Each structure stands twice: as C-alpha cells, then as structure tokens.
Amino acid sequence: MKNMPSSVDSKSPTKGFIINNLAIQVGAFGNKDNAIALSKKYTNKNYEAKLYPFTNNEGKTIYRVKIIGFRSYKEIDDYKERYNLSNVVIVGVKWVK
C-alpha cells in the first residue's frame, strides 16, 4: 500500500491515527451460509473471520465478512498476498486530529 505506514503506534495519537482493530472486508452476502463458508476459508491461527450483519435500505440483511486482528498495513499486505486477495476494504482505523 503506497503512502501508508508499515505499522502504527497505538498509544500515541500524535502519529496521526490509532488502530482500534484493523481489519479487512473480503465479502458481503445476502445468504448467511455463503458468508459462513467464506469466513471459514480465511480464518487461521493468527486472524479470525467474523460476520457483521446489517440491514440495507430495502430491509434485507447483508452479511459482511471481515478478517480481524491485523496490527499493521504490512500484515494486511502479507495476508492479501498469501490468499491472493486483490479487492478488499480496510476497516477499523480511527483517525485522530
């Protein structure tokens, strides 16, 4: 990732931001079973895949699949390379002014 720090000091807001729980979203499904199947594919000893349901404007539940537990953008890049992921959404960064 260009222009992103390789790690973040979670104790110092003077660094620009703090990571509460850096994660990546790898998919979103209307079918819960599909979301569960994808979450099992990406869970390993270092990272856990979790489902985050939300209701869209039409009242349909969508299950977002997020991999949690990353401590740095470098870890995300390594994970993406290991699992051949190219389209992910990075979530969980809290910006500090």
Side-chain angles (χ1 to χ4, degrees), residues 36-88:
I36 290 170
L38 185 66
S39 70
K40 288 179 181 178
K41 177 179 179 181
Y42 292 119
T43 295
N44 64 37
K45 67 179 182 174
N46 296 316
Y47 307 103
E48 180 181 2
K50 290 194 165 214
L51 303 186
Y52 291 84
F54 76 97
T55 304
N56 67 14
N57 293 338
E58 298 170 354
K60 183 175 180 181
T61 300
I62 304 295
Y63 300 91
R64 295 173 288 188
V65 180
K66 297 180 183 181
I67 314 301
I68 63 172
F70 296 99
R71 295 178 302 259
S72 70
Y73 291 101
K74 170 83 168 89
E75 280 187 41
I76 290 174
D77 285 340
D78 292 346
Y79 188 90
K80 285 171 49 180
E81 185 175 326
R82 178 178 178 193
Y83 287 99
N84 196 26
L85 296 169
S86 58
N87 296 315
V88 300

